[in-house]
Amino acid sequence: MDSNDKLKRAEAIRERLQSAPARRRVRSHARLTRTILLGTVAVALAIAWLADAYGVESDDLLNALTASFGFVGVFTALAVLGGFLLGAARRLLSGRRSGRGVDAKGP
């Protein structure tokens, strides 16, 4: 292998390694979404089973389902908001750190 081939191969490896965290992040978000949806369905089925077991009326069941979906929705929204805030804080702090070593020379 000559040096040009080695450089091209090294560059290809660098690009693959840099894109790997993005792929993992996408998979992680997909897993989180799937977990939230499956948890919501499990709660709904548990409430329906309990309502049937104890002879609860359908209006009460619908109220309980609405409350459980609202509960899950509120905490999901809080988790997403927290993620956005943490991401914004990380970007803000990393921007400050990278700006320390740079000379601020004006024109």
Side-chain angles (χ1 to χ4, degrees):
M1 248 198 274
D2 65 346
S3 62
N4 282 339
D5 289 338
K6 287 181 182 179
L7 288 174
K8 287 179 186 177
R9 186 171 178 199
E11 186 62 32
I13 291 171
R14 265 190 228 104
E15 288 177 11
R16 267 190 310 204
L17 289 175
Q18 286 176 349
S19 67
R23 285 194 303 263
R24 279 191 298 248
R25 208 173 309 126
V26 169
R27 273 191 250 134
S28 175
H29 291 328
R31 286 180 185 162
L32 177 61
T33 303
R34 183 184 66 212
T35 301
I36 290 169
L37 290 175
L38 288 174
T40 304
V41 169
V43 167
L45 291 174
I47 290 173
W49 176 74
L50 285 172
D52 185 49
Y54 288 105
V56 176
E57 294 180 18
S58 61
D59 289 339
D60 292 336
L61 174 62
L62 289 176
N63 288 338
L65 285 173
T66 303
S68 67
F69 282 128
F71 183 79
V72 170
V74 165
F75 281 99
T76 301
L78 287 174
V80 169
L81 178 65
F84 282 132
L85 291 175
L86 287 174
R90 183 189 306 163
R91 274 188 232 111
L92 181 66
L93 291 175
S94 69
R96 285 186 180 176
R97 286 186 194 138
S98 65
R100 286 184 189 164
V102 177
D103 291 336
K105 294 182 181 177

